[in-house]
Every structure is written in C-alpha cells, then in structure tokens.
Amino acid sequence: MEAAGIPTVAISLARDLTEAVGVPRALFVKWPLGRPLGEAGNAAQQRTVMYHALRLLLTADAPGQLEAPGWRWRREHYQEPDWGMVRG
Amino acid sequence: MNKEQSWQQRFWNRFYAIPAVAQWWAKSRAGETAALVEEQHGIPFARLRKPLATARGALITTAGVHLRSEPPFDMANPDGDASYRLIPGAARAEALTITHNYYDHSEADRDLNVVFPLDHFRDLAQRGVIGGVAPRHFGFMGHIDGPLIPALTGESAPDVAARLRADGVDFAFLTPA
C-alpha cells in the first residue's frame, strides 16, 4: 500500500512481531490480544488510541517508527482527545 | 457466533490474550518470521500529501470482520484464509460479524469498535477531523501461514491497494487482533 503511495498507520499488539515484519508506522499497546483499540464501550479510550495513531501518521518522518505510549490495561483514565491538534 | 470453537481453543485464546504471554509469543514468532520487505529496498514509506481534514481514510482489519451476508473466513484450513471481504462504508454494526477462531474476540463481539472503529471514523469525518470515510473497507482474517502467505502478499494485498487507489483513499488505518 505504501509502495502504491497510500500511507498507513497500524496498531500493534505484538511489539517484536511488528518490528520483525517491518511496518511503516505503528502505535504499540501492550494490551490483551483482540483489543487493539481498548475496552468495549470505552469510547474515550478507543478515540485516544485513534488520535495517537493519526498523529503518528502525520508526524512520522521515517519508516519503521513504533510509538509506545505505555498505557496500562484498565488502569488509565481517558478523555476525549483534542482533535484540533491533528486536523491540520 | 462461536459455535465451532472448542473449549480448548477458547482456553488458549484467553491464555494468549494475557499481555505478557502475548509479548512472549510475539518474541518467539519474531525469530522465525522473515521480514516481509526486501532488505535492499527497505520498508516502503508514503507520506500524507494533504491535511488530515481533507484526507479520505479507509479501515483495514485482520480481526476477521465481514458482512453477515458474505461467506465466513475458512476456519478448516490450518494455514488460514488469505482472502478478504469488502465492507461498505455505510455498513451498520448489526450487519457485521467476526469469523476468527484464533483470538479471543469476546470484547469485540460486544463492541465492534474495539477492532473495527467505523463508528469513530464516521464521527471524525462529520467533525471535519478527517476529510471523509472511504466507500469501502477491508476485512482480513489475520491467521495466515505457510503457502497462503504468498497469496496474501502477492494477490490480496496488491488487490486492496488498487481498490484503495480507485476509491481515492488518502490513508489507511490498520487494526490487527
């Protein structure tokens, strides 16, 4: 896709695997598999993940960039992101 | 939804859902996974050429999401299923389901946005954060191994890239499971 000119950003749940495969941009969350955006019904958490991923899409300047915000599973409090920062 | 899944399968899926176990698994798999990019060319890299507020985005997931009306992914082949399903941009969550016996999707069954954030995507388009939502999205089943890997990288993936271009998509948002 990137070779076809379409930038991508991926959520990663498996850091070593993502790094071994080699992806252009990834946001790593050390959460249980099957929950890339977080908990069911937790819109603020899901949207915070999306915000950080979209920001990475805009800011990454080299391939293979993996950002790890370090959020703990079910131990964080999330708020609606300030979307003005990525709107551009 | 998970009628065909045995209790053993459910047990192991729950086990691998433990973050430390998942990372250990990822580490061991990483050692035996050949990079999908050719060394000499490196990882392909494209930049978003317009502000996000005018860019059209598509979702691509390997969480086994597809329309209920479409054939499910192949759960009988141990190498998986390298095909993909088109998901219309206007699809309602009730019209979608997950066929994927290789991970614990109990959380995603309750709220599809956990693996396929189409509701948020639509909302972001409405708020003008992103320029628009693609007319179609793409559902893969992430358990793909052996002889099916060439089918994925050589057929399905280029096929999707061509469709994204045809749809005027500016960026893709990828969610695994």
Side-chain angles (χ1 to χ4, degrees):
Chain A
M1 271 160 252
E2 299 265 344
I6 298 166
T8 65
V9 61
I11 309 297
S12 164
L13 288 156
R15 182 175 199 146
D16 292 297
L17 205 50
T18 301
E19 286 174 343
V21 170
V23 300
R25 306 164 193 81
L27 184 77
F28 170 67
V29 287
K30 192 179 175 182
W31 290 342
L33 297 182
R35 295 138 176 92
L37 282 101
E39 297 162 55
N42 193 338
Q45 179 185 28
Q46 296 165 4
R47 292 164 72 91
T48 298
V49 174
M50 295 187 78
Y51 171 84
H52 281 259
L54 290 173
R55 204 178 58 179
L56 187 60
L57 178 74
L58 301 177
T59 58
D61 48 14
Q65 204 149 322
L66 187 135
E67 186 185 316
W71 297 312
R72 298 159 301 170
W73 182 243
R74 288 189 177 153
R75 283 159 176 256
E76 310 285 346
H77 181 72
Y78 300 92
Q79 287 181 337
E80 177 69 16
D82 177 6
W83 294 103
M85 304 291 285
V86 292
R87 193 180 280 132
Chain B
M1 191 179 293
N2 267 337
K3 286 188 292 287
E4 311 80 9
Q5 230 181 333
S6 65
W7 71 265
Q8 289 99 331
Q9 193 138 42
R10 281 199 298 274
F11 170 81
W12 287 114
N13 287 344
R14 287 288 171 102
F15 177 69
Y16 280 104
I18 300 167
V21 175
Q23 297 315 307
W24 163 80
W25 164 80
K27 204 180 197 75
S28 66
R29 284 289 290 181
E32 52 195 67
T33 301
L36 292 178
V37 293
E38 296 156 58
E39 286 293 335
Q40 65 270 36
H41 298 305
I43 303 170
F45 191 75
R47 283 171 207 281
L48 190 63
R49 292 200 194 86
K50 49 171 82 166
L52 194 57
T54 62
R56 176 181 281 189
L59 294 174
I60 302 175
T61 181
T62 55
V65 179
H66 64 88
L67 281 173
R68 287 181 193 277
S69 56
E70 293 236 286
F73 291 103
D74 184 358
M75 288 296 120
N77 186 342
D79 286 328
D81 186 341
S83 67
Y84 65 90
R85 305 286 179 274
L86 294 173
I87 302 167
R92 309 303 317 167
E94 305 82 63
L96 299 168
T97 189
I98 295 172
T99 302
H100 196 319
N101 288 355
Y102 306 99
Y103 79 98
D104 168 27
H105 45 83
S106 54
E107 197 111 4
D109 289 339
R110 286 191 282 136
D111 177 1
L112 199 61
N113 288 296
V114 164
V115 293
F116 188 67
L118 187 52
D119 289 340
H120 296 308
F121 235 46
R122 287 194 192 114
D123 179 69
L124 293 181
Q126 209 158 25
R127 289 168 181 241
V129 175
I130 62 173
V133 178
R136 48 192 180 171
H137 307 278
F138 302 86
F140 284 84
M141 199 282 288
H143 177 85
I144 297 158
D145 212 346
L148 292 185
I149 291 179
L152 175 72
T153 58
E155 293 165 36
S156 292
D159 216 42
V160 168
R163 286 178 191 262
L164 290 172
R165 283 182 70 92
D167 289 346
V169 168
D170 299 303
F171 72 94
F173 192 95
L174 279 52
T175 50

